[in-house]
């Protein structure tokens, strides 16, 4: 999971997974006169595991006519 940060005077004040929330927090601090910096987490995402292909199988669930 991402870890974007808001730094102020070398200290981490806030860390969040959503970049827009981190930006808004830093903007609010700047509006109060603090010199806050939003730092984006640039670590690459891990590769996703392949999903199983379910083509050719009968549909499941009551919406498709099967009864439990």
């Amino acid at each position: 999971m991402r870890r974007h940060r808001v730094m102020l005077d070398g200290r981490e004040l806030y860390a969040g997974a959503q970049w827009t929330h981190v930006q808004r927090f830093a903007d609010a601090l700047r509006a109060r006169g603090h010199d806050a910096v939003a730092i984006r987490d640039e670590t690459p995402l891990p590769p996703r595991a392949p999903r199983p292909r379910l083509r050719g199988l009968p549909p499941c669930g009551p919406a498709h006519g099967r009864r439990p």
Side-chain angles (χ1 to χ4, degrees), residues 42-65:
E42 296 292 339
T43 56
L45 289 173
R48 293 179 60 165
R51 297 178 66 184
R53 296 175 76 58
L54 300 176
R55 296 183 73 193
L57 296 179
C60 59
H64 297 285

Side-chain angles (χ1 to χ4, degrees), residues 60-63 65-68:
C60 59
R66 288 185 62 203
R67 293 191 179 132

Side-chain angles (χ1 to χ4, degrees), residues 18-68:
Q18 193 161 347
W19 175 239
T20 56
H21 293 182
V22 173
Q23 282 180 315
R24 291 182 71 182
F25 188 82
D27 290 340
L29 286 175
R30 281 189 222 111
R32 292 183 175 197
H34 297 289
D35 189 24
V37 179
I39 301 172
R40 191 173 187 129
D41 186 4
E42 296 292 339
T43 56
L45 289 173
R48 293 179 60 165
R51 297 178 66 184
R53 296 175 76 58
L54 300 176
R55 296 183 73 193
L57 296 179
C60 59
H64 297 285
R66 288 185 62 203
R67 293 191 179 132

